[in-house]
Amino acid sequence: LAKTTQPISMDSYEGQEVNITCSHNNIATNDYITWYQQFPSQGPRFIIQGYKTKVTNEVASLFIPADRKSSTLSLPRVSLSDTAVYYCLRGGGYQKVTFGIGTKLQVIP
Amino acid sequence: GAGVSQSPSNKVTEKGKDVELRCDPISGHTALYWYRQRLGQGLEFLIYFQGNSAPDKSGLPSDRFSAERTGESVSTLTIQRTQQEDSAVYLCASSDPAGTNPYEQYFGPGTRLTVT
């Protein structure tokens, strides 16, 4: 199974940058790293995906070091609406993907 | 176009009854996934379809669970002789392997199943 490890929960104040780190020590050569966001009573929503180095989109940045054994999702200047569960996944192809418990981010006013 | 839709949105059933959950993926998405999410838990993979074939059924919890897909479109997840531990939200997702981001899964709103 594609296993990742991430903190169970994090708190942050509004306006701060939030970094959530995920460990994936046994990542395979063809695995990508993908992050999803889930609000209560909704299905997860894709945020960002990368293979190595840095990827940035309008929502977040993803940093993956050279050894690819970890990755960090960076959310700039979070707002209350960013309160959600964030899942880190590793995998490749159109196959079984394992979502862990995720990181519950609570943004505080 | 429309996103992934699922029906019903809520289903309450008595223990021992059979239920059918439906998923309509995004048109053209050949990959389709079913997950189960218990309250406060992460997503549990159930089954994956590529086209109408299910190369990986390893996540189905028991032989009471089955799924099929027809026309590379609609999929149904059937749970026979429901048990209380089947109570959960069942999520469906689809993806386009030929698209610009082939690994991105688009999720439906889920079906909340309650077994009494």
PDB file of all heavy atoms in Angstrom, chain A residues 32 36 38 41-44 46 49 87 91-97 99-101, chain B residues 33 35 37 41-43 45 48 56 58 91 97 101-105 107-108:
ATOM      1  N   TYR A  32       3.893   9.909  -8.031  1.00  0.00           N
ATOM      2  CA  TYR A  32       3.690  11.336  -7.881  1.00  0.00           C
ATOM      3  C   TYR A  32       3.191  11.613  -6.463  1.00  0.00           C
ATOM      4  O   TYR A  32       2.710  10.707  -5.773  1.00  0.00           O
ATOM      5  CB  TYR A  32       2.658  11.854  -8.880  1.00  0.00           C
ATOM      6  CG  TYR A  32       3.200  12.107 -10.256  1.00  0.00           C
ATOM      7  CD1 TYR A  32       3.509  11.042 -11.107  1.00  0.00           C
ATOM      8  CD2 TYR A  32       3.415  13.394 -10.721  1.00  0.00           C
ATOM      9  CE1 TYR A  32       4.023  11.266 -12.363  1.00  0.00           C
ATOM     10  CE2 TYR A  32       3.924  13.638 -11.969  1.00  0.00           C
ATOM     11  CZ  TYR A  32       4.228  12.564 -12.793  1.00  0.00           C
ATOM     12  OH  TYR A  32       4.736  12.783 -14.037  1.00  0.00           O
ATOM     13  N   TYR A  36      -4.916  16.676  -1.516  1.00  0.00           N
ATOM     14  CA  TYR A  36      -6.328  16.959  -1.634  1.00  0.00           C
ATOM     15  C   TYR A  36      -6.795  17.718  -0.391  1.00  0.00           C
ATOM     16  O   TYR A  36      -6.220  17.596   0.685  1.00  0.00           O
ATOM     17  CB  TYR A  36      -7.152  15.670  -1.755  1.00  0.00           C
ATOM     18  CG  TYR A  36      -7.103  15.005  -3.112  1.00  0.00           C
ATOM     19  CD1 TYR A  36      -6.030  14.204  -3.477  1.00  0.00           C
ATOM     20  CD2 TYR A  36      -8.138  15.177  -4.025  1.00  0.00           C
ATOM     21  CE1 TYR A  36      -5.984  13.584  -4.725  1.00  0.00           C
ATOM     22  CE2 TYR A  36      -8.107  14.566  -5.265  1.00  0.00           C
ATOM     23  CZ  TYR A  36      -7.024  13.771  -5.608  1.00  0.00           C
ATOM     24  OH  TYR A  36      -6.987  13.166  -6.836  1.00  0.00           O
ATOM     25  N   GLN A  38     -10.389  18.523   1.905  1.00  0.00           N
ATOM     26  CA  GLN A  38     -11.766  18.085   2.113  1.00  0.00           C
ATOM     27  C   GLN A  38     -12.445  18.928   3.171  1.00  0.00           C
ATOM     28  O   GLN A  38     -11.970  19.006   4.313  1.00  0.00           O
ATOM     29  CB  GLN A  38     -11.831  16.601   2.502  1.00  0.00           C
ATOM     30  CG  GLN A  38     -13.262  16.067   2.574  1.00  0.00           C
ATOM     31  CD  GLN A  38     -13.346  14.605   2.929  1.00  0.00           C
ATOM     32  OE1 GLN A  38     -12.474  14.055   3.588  1.00  0.00           O
ATOM     33  NE2 GLN A  38     -14.417  13.950   2.480  1.00  0.00           N
ATOM     34  N   SER A  41     -18.662  17.289   4.968  1.00  0.00           N
ATOM     35  CA  SER A  41     -19.818  16.905   4.144  1.00  0.00           C
ATOM     36  C   SER A  41     -19.590  17.098   2.652  1.00  0.00           C
ATOM     37  O   SER A  41     -20.552  17.247   1.884  1.00  0.00           O
ATOM     38  CB  SER A  41     -21.068  17.692   4.566  1.00  0.00           C
ATOM     39  OG  SER A  41     -21.350  17.460   5.925  1.00  0.00           O
ATOM     40  N   GLN A  42     -18.334  17.128   2.238  1.00  0.00           N
ATOM     41  CA  GLN A  42     -18.015  17.209   0.814  1.00  0.00           C
ATOM     42  C   GLN A  42     -16.968  16.165   0.466  1.00  0.00           C
ATOM     43  O   GLN A  42     -16.235  15.688   1.336  1.00  0.00           O
ATOM     44  CB  GLN A  42     -17.483  18.590   0.437  1.00  0.00           C
ATOM     45  CG  GLN A  42     -18.492  19.708   0.591  1.00  0.00           C
ATOM     46  CD  GLN A  42     -17.938  21.031   0.109  1.00  0.00           C
ATOM     47  OE1 GLN A  42     -17.042  21.065  -0.736  1.00  0.00           O
ATOM     48  NE2 GLN A  42     -18.472  22.123   0.619  1.00  0.00           N
ATOM     49  N   GLY A  43     -16.889  15.840  -0.831  1.00  0.00           N
ATOM     50  CA  GLY A  43     -15.817  14.974  -1.283  1.00  0.00           C
ATOM     51  C   GLY A  43     -14.514  15.757  -1.359  1.00  0.00           C
ATOM     52  O   GLY A  43     -14.509  16.975  -1.429  1.00  0.00           O
ATOM     53  N   PRO A  44     -13.381  15.059  -1.337  1.00  0.00           N
ATOM     54  CA  PRO A  44     -12.092  15.752  -1.452  1.00  0.00           C
ATOM     55  C   PRO A  44     -11.963  16.498  -2.778  1.00  0.00           C
ATOM     56  O   PRO A  44     -12.584  16.132  -3.778  1.00  0.00           O
ATOM     57  CB  PRO A  44     -11.078  14.597  -1.376  1.00  0.00           C
ATOM     58  CG  PRO A  44     -11.785  13.500  -0.670  1.00  0.00           C
ATOM     59  CD  PRO A  44     -13.215  13.627  -1.110  1.00  0.00           C
ATOM     60  N   PHE A  46      -8.966  18.163  -5.392  1.00  0.00           N
ATOM     61  CA  PHE A  46      -7.553  18.208  -5.754  1.00  0.00           C
ATOM     62  C   PHE A  46      -6.985  19.605  -5.513  1.00  0.00           C
ATOM     63  O   PHE A  46      -7.604  20.614  -5.857  1.00  0.00           O
ATOM     64  CB  PHE A  46      -7.423  17.845  -7.238  1.00  0.00           C
ATOM     65  CG  PHE A  46      -6.049  18.012  -7.813  1.00  0.00           C
ATOM     66  CD1 PHE A  46      -5.144  16.966  -7.790  1.00  0.00           C
ATOM     67  CD2 PHE A  46      -5.668  19.206  -8.408  1.00  0.00           C
ATOM     68  CE1 PHE A  46      -3.883  17.118  -8.347  1.00  0.00           C
ATOM     69  CE2 PHE A  46      -4.402  19.362  -8.967  1.00  0.00           C
ATOM     70  CZ  PHE A  46      -3.518  18.309  -8.933  1.00  0.00           C
ATOM     71  N   GLN A  49      -0.233  18.760  -7.372  1.00  0.00           N
ATOM     72  CA  GLN A  49       0.491  17.509  -7.585  1.00  0.00           C
ATOM     73  C   GLN A  49       1.889  17.830  -8.088  1.00  0.00           C
ATOM     74  O   GLN A  49       2.080  18.789  -8.837  1.00  0.00           O
ATOM     75  CB  GLN A  49      -0.235  16.642  -8.603  1.00  0.00           C
ATOM     76  CG  GLN A  49       0.402  15.286  -8.862  1.00  0.00           C
ATOM     77  CD  GLN A  49      -0.403  14.486  -9.859  1.00  0.00           C
ATOM     78  OE1 GLN A  49      -0.376  14.729 -11.050  1.00  0.00           O
ATOM     79  NE2 GLN A  49      -1.152  13.520  -9.342  1.00  0.00           N
ATOM     80  N   TYR A  87      -5.106  15.936   2.707  1.00  0.00           N
ATOM     81  CA  TYR A  87      -4.581  14.584   2.511  1.00  0.00           C
ATOM     82  C   TYR A  87      -3.379  14.617   1.584  1.00  0.00           C
ATOM     83  O   TYR A  87      -3.410  15.248   0.524  1.00  0.00           O
ATOM     84  CB  TYR A  87      -5.630  13.678   1.879  1.00  0.00           C
ATOM     85  CG  TYR A  87      -6.869  13.449   2.689  1.00  0.00           C
ATOM     86  CD1 TYR A  87      -8.007  14.215   2.492  1.00  0.00           C
ATOM     87  CD2 TYR A  87      -6.912  12.448   3.662  1.00  0.00           C
ATOM     88  CE1 TYR A  87      -9.152  13.998   3.226  1.00  0.00           C
ATOM     89  CE2 TYR A  87      -8.063  12.226   4.398  1.00  0.00           C
ATOM     90  CZ  TYR A  87      -9.179  13.004   4.174  1.00  0.00           C
ATOM     91  OH  TYR A  87     -10.313  12.782   4.905  1.00  0.00           O
ATOM     92  N   GLY A  91       1.440   8.008  -5.323  1.00  0.00           N
ATOM     93  CA  GLY A  91       0.998   6.961  -6.229  1.00  0.00           C
ATOM     94  C   GLY A  91       1.257   7.341  -7.659  1.00  0.00           C
ATOM     95  O   GLY A  91       1.659   8.458  -7.971  1.00  0.00           O
ATOM     96  N   GLY A  92       1.046   6.381  -8.512  1.00  0.00           N
ATOM     97  CA  GLY A  92       1.215   6.621  -9.929  1.00  0.00           C
ATOM     98  C   GLY A  92       0.196   5.822 -10.692  1.00  0.00           C
ATOM     99  O   GLY A  92      -0.144   4.714 -10.317  1.00  0.00           O
ATOM    100  N   GLY A  93      -0.291   6.380 -11.729  1.00  0.00           N
ATOM    101  CA  GLY A  93      -1.226   5.619 -12.544  1.00  0.00           C
ATOM    102  C   GLY A  93      -2.634   5.665 -12.010  1.00  0.00           C
ATOM    103  O   GLY A  93      -2.949   6.330 -11.034  1.00  0.00           O
ATOM    104  N   TYR A  94      -3.477   4.885 -12.620  1.00  0.00           N
ATOM    105  CA  TYR A  94      -4.915   4.948 -12.351  1.00  0.00           C
ATOM    106  C   TYR A  94      -5.265   3.720 -11.547  1.00  0.00           C
ATOM    107  O   TYR A  94      -5.888   2.801 -12.015  1.00  0.00           O
ATOM    108  CB  TYR A  94      -5.635   5.004 -13.692  1.00  0.00           C
ATOM    109  CG  TYR A  94      -4.771   5.715 -14.697  1.00  0.00           C
ATOM    110  CD1 TYR A  94      -4.165   5.032 -15.727  1.00  0.00           C
ATOM    111  CD2 TYR A  94      -4.489   7.061 -14.538  1.00  0.00           C
ATOM    112  CE1 TYR A  94      -3.321   5.690 -16.608  1.00  0.00           C
ATOM    113  CE2 TYR A  94      -3.646   7.713 -15.405  1.00  0.00           C
ATOM    114  CZ  TYR A  94      -3.064   7.016 -16.440  1.00  0.00           C
ATOM    115  OH  TYR A  94      -2.226   7.646 -17.300  1.00  0.00           O
ATOM    116  N   GLN A  95      -4.848   3.742 -10.306  1.00  0.00           N
ATOM    117  CA  GLN A  95      -4.933   2.532  -9.523  1.00  0.00           C
ATOM    118  C   GLN A  95      -5.307   2.879  -8.095  1.00  0.00           C
ATOM    119  O   GLN A  95      -5.699   3.984  -7.792  1.00  0.00           O
ATOM    120  CB  GLN A  95      -3.584   1.825  -9.541  1.00  0.00           C
ATOM    121  CG  GLN A  95      -2.447   2.685  -9.026  1.00  0.00           C
ATOM    122  CD  GLN A  95      -1.083   2.084  -9.301  1.00  0.00           C
ATOM    123  OE1 GLN A  95      -0.965   1.039  -9.925  1.00  0.00           O
ATOM    124  NE2 GLN A  95      -0.032   2.718  -8.831  1.00  0.00           N
ATOM    125  N   LYS A  96      -5.216   1.879  -7.267  1.00  0.00           N
ATOM    126  CA  LYS A  96      -5.559   2.052  -5.868  1.00  0.00           C
ATOM    127  C   LYS A  96      -4.741   3.164  -5.238  1.00  0.00           C
ATOM    128  O   LYS A  96      -3.523   3.175  -5.315  1.00  0.00           O
ATOM    129  CB  LYS A  96      -5.290   0.745  -5.142  1.00  0.00           C
ATOM    130  CG  LYS A  96      -5.671   0.723  -3.688  1.00  0.00           C
ATOM    131  CD  LYS A  96      -5.479  -0.673  -3.163  1.00  0.00           C
ATOM    132  CE  LYS A  96      -5.925  -0.797  -1.732  1.00  0.00           C
ATOM    133  NZ  LYS A  96      -5.847  -2.207  -1.286  1.00  0.00           N
ATOM    134  N   VAL A  97      -5.420   4.093  -4.656  1.00  0.00           N
ATOM    135  CA  VAL A  97      -4.764   5.215  -3.998  1.00  0.00           C
ATOM    136  C   VAL A  97      -5.215   5.227  -2.555  1.00  0.00           C
ATOM    137  O   VAL A  97      -6.389   5.075  -2.270  1.00  0.00           O
ATOM    138  CB  VAL A  97      -5.128   6.548  -4.681  1.00  0.00           C
ATOM    139  CG1 VAL A  97      -4.519   7.705  -3.926  1.00  0.00           C
ATOM    140  CG2 VAL A  97      -4.648   6.542  -6.119  1.00  0.00           C
ATOM    141  N   PHE A  99      -5.816   7.090   0.865  1.00  0.00           N
ATOM    142  CA  PHE A  99      -5.982   8.307   1.642  1.00  0.00           C
ATOM    143  C   PHE A  99      -5.821   7.933   3.108  1.00  0.00           C
ATOM    144  O   PHE A  99      -6.512   7.069   3.592  1.00  0.00           O
ATOM    145  CB  PHE A  99      -7.380   8.894   1.451  1.00  0.00           C
ATOM    146  CG  PHE A  99      -7.623   9.583   0.147  1.00  0.00           C
ATOM    147  CD1 PHE A  99      -7.775   8.853  -1.021  1.00  0.00           C
ATOM    148  CD2 PHE A  99      -7.724  10.970   0.088  1.00  0.00           C
ATOM    149  CE1 PHE A  99      -8.018   9.486  -2.223  1.00  0.00           C
ATOM    150  CE2 PHE A  99      -7.965  11.608  -1.111  1.00  0.00           C
ATOM    151  CZ  PHE A  99      -8.112  10.871  -2.266  1.00  0.00           C
ATOM    152  N   GLY A 100      -4.920   8.596   3.818  1.00  0.00           N
ATOM    153  CA  GLY A 100      -4.806   8.355   5.250  1.00  0.00           C
ATOM    154  C   GLY A 100      -5.861   9.159   5.992  1.00  0.00           C
ATOM    155  O   GLY A 100      -6.891   9.521   5.424  1.00  0.00           O
ATOM    156  N   ILE A 101      -5.589   9.433   7.252  1.00  0.00           N
ATOM    157  CA  ILE A 101      -6.524  10.224   8.050  1.00  0.00           C
ATOM    158  C   ILE A 101      -6.445  11.692   7.670  1.00  0.00           C
ATOM    159  O   ILE A 101      -7.395  12.447   7.810  1.00  0.00           O
ATOM    160  CB  ILE A 101      -6.231  10.035   9.547  1.00  0.00           C
ATOM    161  CG1 ILE A 101      -6.448   8.582   9.939  1.00  0.00           C
ATOM    162  CG2 ILE A 101      -7.118  10.930  10.409  1.00  0.00           C
ATOM    163  CD1 ILE A 101      -6.092   8.286  11.376  1.00  0.00           C
TER     164      ILE A 101
ATOM    165  N   TYR B  33     -13.594   5.436  -9.356  1.00  0.00           N
ATOM    166  CA  TYR B  33     -13.196   4.900  -8.050  1.00  0.00           C
ATOM    167  C   TYR B  33     -14.371   4.971  -7.087  1.00  0.00           C
ATOM    168  O   TYR B  33     -15.154   5.919  -7.122  1.00  0.00           O
ATOM    169  CB  TYR B  33     -12.055   5.730  -7.451  1.00  0.00           C
ATOM    170  CG  TYR B  33     -10.845   5.918  -8.339  1.00  0.00           C
ATOM    171  CD1 TYR B  33     -10.863   6.827  -9.392  1.00  0.00           C
ATOM    172  CD2 TYR B  33      -9.671   5.208  -8.101  1.00  0.00           C
ATOM    173  CE1 TYR B  33      -9.750   7.018 -10.196  1.00  0.00           C
ATOM    174  CE2 TYR B  33      -8.558   5.396  -8.894  1.00  0.00           C
ATOM    175  CZ  TYR B  33      -8.607   6.299  -9.939  1.00  0.00           C
ATOM    176  OH  TYR B  33      -7.487   6.484 -10.729  1.00  0.00           O
ATOM    177  N   TYR B  35     -14.944   4.880  -2.804  1.00  0.00           N
ATOM    178  CA  TYR B  35     -14.328   4.942  -1.485  1.00  0.00           C
ATOM    179  C   TYR B  35     -15.426   4.916  -0.429  1.00  0.00           C
ATOM    180  O   TYR B  35     -16.573   5.275  -0.683  1.00  0.00           O
ATOM    181  CB  TYR B  35     -13.538   6.248  -1.302  1.00  0.00           C
ATOM    182  CG  TYR B  35     -12.365   6.440  -2.230  1.00  0.00           C
ATOM    183  CD1 TYR B  35     -12.540   7.042  -3.470  1.00  0.00           C
ATOM    184  CD2 TYR B  35     -11.086   6.044  -1.865  1.00  0.00           C
ATOM    185  CE1 TYR B  35     -11.460   7.238  -4.331  1.00  0.00           C
ATOM    186  CE2 TYR B  35     -10.002   6.241  -2.707  1.00  0.00           C
ATOM    187  CZ  TYR B  35     -10.204   6.837  -3.942  1.00  0.00           C
ATOM    188  OH  TYR B  35      -9.132   7.029  -4.782  1.00  0.00           O
ATOM    189  N   GLN B  37     -16.047   6.340   3.594  1.00  0.00           N
ATOM    190  CA  GLN B  37     -15.504   7.203   4.643  1.00  0.00           C
ATOM    191  C   GLN B  37     -16.408   7.130   5.856  1.00  0.00           C
ATOM    192  O   GLN B  37     -17.548   7.622   5.828  1.00  0.00           O
ATOM    193  CB  GLN B  37     -15.353   8.654   4.164  1.00  0.00           C
ATOM    194  CG  GLN B  37     -14.650   9.546   5.167  1.00  0.00           C
ATOM    195  CD  GLN B  37     -14.290  10.907   4.608  1.00  0.00           C
ATOM    196  OE1 GLN B  37     -15.011  11.475   3.798  1.00  0.00           O
ATOM    197  NE2 GLN B  37     -13.155  11.459   5.043  1.00  0.00           N
ATOM    198  N   GLN B  41     -13.060   9.634   9.870  1.00  0.00           N
ATOM    199  CA  GLN B  41     -11.957   8.824   9.360  1.00  0.00           C
ATOM    200  C   GLN B  41     -11.537   9.278   7.964  1.00  0.00           C
ATOM    201  O   GLN B  41     -12.196  10.110   7.338  1.00  0.00           O
ATOM    202  CB  GLN B  41     -12.381   7.348   9.302  1.00  0.00           C
ATOM    203  CG  GLN B  41     -12.827   6.776  10.635  1.00  0.00           C
ATOM    204  CD  GLN B  41     -11.710   6.779  11.656  1.00  0.00           C
ATOM    205  OE1 GLN B  41     -10.601   6.326  11.386  1.00  0.00           O
ATOM    206  NE2 GLN B  41     -11.990   7.303  12.834  1.00  0.00           N
ATOM    207  N   GLY B  42     -10.430   8.719   7.501  1.00  0.00           N
ATOM    208  CA  GLY B  42      -9.987   8.993   6.145  1.00  0.00           C
ATOM    209  C   GLY B  42     -10.785   8.176   5.148  1.00  0.00           C
ATOM    210  O   GLY B  42     -11.723   7.458   5.502  1.00  0.00           O
ATOM    211  N   LEU B  43     -10.415   8.277   3.895  1.00  0.00           N
ATOM    212  CA  LEU B  43     -11.114   7.537   2.846  1.00  0.00           C
ATOM    213  C   LEU B  43     -10.534   6.134   2.711  1.00  0.00           C
ATOM    214  O   LEU B  43      -9.321   5.957   2.672  1.00  0.00           O
ATOM    215  CB  LEU B  43     -10.977   8.258   1.500  1.00  0.00           C
ATOM    216  CG  LEU B  43     -11.924   9.412   1.238  1.00  0.00           C
ATOM    217  CD1 LEU B  43     -11.542  10.614   2.074  1.00  0.00           C
ATOM    218  CD2 LEU B  43     -11.954   9.760  -0.227  1.00  0.00           C
ATOM    219  N   PHE B  45     -10.293   2.976   0.285  1.00  0.00           N
ATOM    220  CA  PHE B  45     -10.466   2.554  -1.107  1.00  0.00           C
ATOM    221  C   PHE B  45     -11.292   1.273  -1.161  1.00  0.00           C
ATOM    222  O   PHE B  45     -11.054   0.332  -0.406  1.00  0.00           O
ATOM    223  CB  PHE B  45      -9.096   2.322  -1.739  1.00  0.00           C
ATOM    224  CG  PHE B  45      -9.133   1.655  -3.084  1.00  0.00           C
ATOM    225  CD1 PHE B  45      -9.285   2.414  -4.228  1.00  0.00           C
ATOM    226  CD2 PHE B  45      -9.020   0.279  -3.207  1.00  0.00           C
ATOM    227  CE1 PHE B  45      -9.310   1.804  -5.471  1.00  0.00           C
ATOM    228  CE2 PHE B  45      -9.045  -0.335  -4.445  1.00  0.00           C
ATOM    229  CZ  PHE B  45      -9.190   0.432  -5.581  1.00  0.00           C
ATOM    230  N   TYR B  48     -11.729   0.093  -8.082  1.00  0.00           N
ATOM    231  CA  TYR B  48     -11.343   1.005  -9.147  1.00  0.00           C
ATOM    232  C   TYR B  48     -11.715   0.374 -10.484  1.00  0.00           C
ATOM    233  O   TYR B  48     -11.523  -0.820 -10.684  1.00  0.00           O
ATOM    234  CB  TYR B  48      -9.845   1.267  -9.025  1.00  0.00           C
ATOM    235  CG  TYR B  48      -9.106   1.474 -10.311  1.00  0.00           C
ATOM    236  CD1 TYR B  48      -9.280   2.648 -11.050  1.00  0.00           C
ATOM    237  CD2 TYR B  48      -8.221   0.523 -10.782  1.00  0.00           C
ATOM    238  CE1 TYR B  48      -8.594   2.851 -12.224  1.00  0.00           C
ATOM    239  CE2 TYR B  48      -7.528   0.713 -11.961  1.00  0.00           C
ATOM    240  CZ  TYR B  48      -7.710   1.872 -12.670  1.00  0.00           C
ATOM    241  OH  TYR B  48      -7.024   2.067 -13.836  1.00  0.00           O
ATOM    242  N   ASP B  56      -8.780  -3.873  -9.870  1.00  0.00           N
ATOM    243  CA  ASP B  56      -8.444  -3.940  -8.456  1.00  0.00           C
ATOM    244  C   ASP B  56      -9.708  -3.909  -7.614  1.00  0.00           C
ATOM    245  O   ASP B  56     -10.327  -2.876  -7.455  1.00  0.00           O
ATOM    246  CB  ASP B  56      -7.520  -2.780  -8.076  1.00  0.00           C
ATOM    247  CG  ASP B  56      -6.904  -2.961  -6.687  1.00  0.00           C
ATOM    248  OD1 ASP B  56      -7.454  -3.749  -5.882  1.00  0.00           O
ATOM    249  OD2 ASP B  56      -5.882  -2.310  -6.412  1.00  0.00           O
ATOM    250  N   SER B  58      -9.543  -5.263  -4.524  1.00  0.00           N
ATOM    251  CA  SER B  58      -8.993  -5.709  -3.246  1.00  0.00           C
ATOM    252  C   SER B  58      -9.553  -4.957  -2.050  1.00  0.00           C
ATOM    253  O   SER B  58      -9.478  -5.436  -0.922  1.00  0.00           O
ATOM    254  CB  SER B  58      -7.469  -5.569  -3.258  1.00  0.00           C
ATOM    255  OG  SER B  58      -7.098  -4.201  -3.430  1.00  0.00           O
ATOM    256  N   LEU B  91     -18.170   7.546  -1.363  1.00  0.00           N
ATOM    257  CA  LEU B  91     -17.735   8.559  -2.322  1.00  0.00           C
ATOM    258  C   LEU B  91     -17.295   7.906  -3.619  1.00  0.00           C
ATOM    259  O   LEU B  91     -16.635   6.865  -3.623  1.00  0.00           O
ATOM    260  CB  LEU B  91     -16.575   9.363  -1.743  1.00  0.00           C
ATOM    261  CG  LEU B  91     -16.923  10.312  -0.594  1.00  0.00           C
ATOM    262  CD1 LEU B  91     -15.698  10.612   0.244  1.00  0.00           C
ATOM    263  CD2 LEU B  91     -17.532  11.597  -1.117  1.00  0.00           C
ATOM    264  N   PRO B  97      -7.519   9.574 -17.667  1.00  0.00           N
ATOM    265  CA  PRO B  97      -6.123   9.180 -17.863  1.00  0.00           C
ATOM    266  C   PRO B  97      -5.455   9.845 -19.073  1.00  0.00           C
ATOM    267  O   PRO B  97      -4.236   9.929 -19.126  1.00  0.00           O
ATOM    268  CB  PRO B  97      -6.217   7.661 -18.068  1.00  0.00           C
ATOM    269  CG  PRO B  97      -7.494   7.271 -17.412  1.00  0.00           C
ATOM    270  CD  PRO B  97      -8.418   8.431 -17.638  1.00  0.00           C
ATOM    271  N   ASN B 101      -3.956  16.255 -16.540  1.00  0.00           N
ATOM    272  CA  ASN B 101      -3.569  15.814 -15.202  1.00  0.00           C
ATOM    273  C   ASN B 101      -4.241  14.473 -14.930  1.00  0.00           C
ATOM    274  O   ASN B 101      -5.281  14.405 -14.280  1.00  0.00           O
ATOM    275  CB  ASN B 101      -3.978  16.836 -14.150  1.00  0.00           C
ATOM    276  CG  ASN B 101      -3.284  16.601 -12.828  1.00  0.00           C
ATOM    277  OD1 ASN B 101      -2.601  15.583 -12.644  1.00  0.00           O
ATOM    278  ND2 ASN B 101      -3.453  17.509 -11.892  1.00  0.00           N
ATOM    279  N   PRO B 102      -3.650  13.410 -15.445  1.00  0.00           N
ATOM    280  CA  PRO B 102      -4.333  12.107 -15.441  1.00  0.00           C
ATOM    281  C   PRO B 102      -4.574  11.520 -14.063  1.00  0.00           C
ATOM    282  O   PRO B 102      -5.401  10.626 -13.911  1.00  0.00           O
ATOM    283  CB  PRO B 102      -3.396  11.221 -16.263  1.00  0.00           C
ATOM    284  CG  PRO B 102      -2.065  11.874 -16.173  1.00  0.00           C
ATOM    285  CD  PRO B 102      -2.346  13.347 -16.099  1.00  0.00           C
ATOM    286  N   TYR B 103      -3.842  11.988 -13.063  1.00  0.00           N
ATOM    287  CA  TYR B 103      -4.003  11.409 -11.735  1.00  0.00           C
ATOM    288  C   TYR B 103      -4.980  12.186 -10.866  1.00  0.00           C
ATOM    289  O   TYR B 103      -5.250  11.786  -9.740  1.00  0.00           O
ATOM    290  CB  TYR B 103      -2.644  11.326 -11.027  1.00  0.00           C
ATOM    291  CG  TYR B 103      -1.576  10.634 -11.840  1.00  0.00           C
ATOM    292  CD1 TYR B 103      -0.266  11.061 -11.793  1.00  0.00           C
ATOM    293  CD2 TYR B 103      -1.885   9.562 -12.659  1.00  0.00           C
ATOM    294  CE1 TYR B 103       0.717  10.442 -12.540  1.00  0.00           C
ATOM    295  CE2 TYR B 103      -0.914   8.932 -13.413  1.00  0.00           C
ATOM    296  CZ  TYR B 103       0.385   9.375 -13.355  1.00  0.00           C
ATOM    297  OH  TYR B 103       1.356   8.766 -14.091  1.00  0.00           O
ATOM    298  N   GLU B 104      -5.522  13.272 -11.360  1.00  0.00           N
ATOM    299  CA  GLU B 104      -6.446  14.073 -10.563  1.00  0.00           C
ATOM    300  C   GLU B 104      -7.808  13.409 -10.545  1.00  0.00           C
ATOM    301  O   GLU B 104      -8.409  13.156 -11.586  1.00  0.00           O
ATOM    302  CB  GLU B 104      -6.580  15.483 -11.129  1.00  0.00           C
ATOM    303  CG  GLU B 104      -7.566  16.348 -10.354  1.00  0.00           C
ATOM    304  CD  GLU B 104      -7.647  17.766 -10.878  1.00  0.00           C
ATOM    305  OE1 GLU B 104      -6.823  18.120 -11.753  1.00  0.00           O
ATOM    306  OE2 GLU B 104      -8.531  18.511 -10.416  1.00  0.00           O
ATOM    307  N   GLN B 105      -8.279  13.141  -9.342  1.00  0.00           N
ATOM    308  CA  GLN B 105      -9.597  12.542  -9.182  1.00  0.00           C
ATOM    309  C   GLN B 105     -10.608  13.622  -8.840  1.00  0.00           C
ATOM    310  O   GLN B 105     -10.356  14.476  -7.996  1.00  0.00           O
ATOM    311  CB  GLN B 105      -9.573  11.482  -8.075  1.00  0.00           C
ATOM    312  CG  GLN B 105      -8.694  10.281  -8.411  1.00  0.00           C
ATOM    313  CD  GLN B 105      -8.769   9.196  -7.373  1.00  0.00           C
ATOM    314  OE1 GLN B 105      -9.787   8.991  -6.717  1.00  0.00           O
ATOM    315  NE2 GLN B 105      -7.687   8.453  -7.224  1.00  0.00           N
ATOM    316  N   PHE B 107     -14.225  14.224  -7.297  1.00  0.00           N
ATOM    317  CA  PHE B 107     -15.127  13.513  -6.390  1.00  0.00           C
ATOM    318  C   PHE B 107     -16.562  14.012  -6.499  1.00  0.00           C
ATOM    319  O   PHE B 107     -16.819  15.202  -6.716  1.00  0.00           O
ATOM    320  CB  PHE B 107     -14.666  13.674  -4.944  1.00  0.00           C
ATOM    321  CG  PHE B 107     -13.523  12.765  -4.580  1.00  0.00           C
ATOM    322  CD1 PHE B 107     -12.218  13.108  -4.896  1.00  0.00           C
ATOM    323  CD2 PHE B 107     -13.752  11.567  -3.920  1.00  0.00           C
ATOM    324  CE1 PHE B 107     -11.162  12.276  -4.571  1.00  0.00           C
ATOM    325  CE2 PHE B 107     -12.704  10.729  -3.590  1.00  0.00           C
ATOM    326  CZ  PHE B 107     -11.406  11.081  -3.916  1.00  0.00           C
ATOM    327  N   GLY B 108     -17.483  13.092  -6.286  1.00  0.00           N
ATOM    328  CA  GLY B 108     -18.876  13.444  -6.141  1.00  0.00           C
ATOM    329  C   GLY B 108     -19.169  13.845  -4.704  1.00  0.00           C
ATOM    330  O   GLY B 108     -18.284  13.777  -3.835  1.00  0.00           O
TER     331      GLY B 108
END
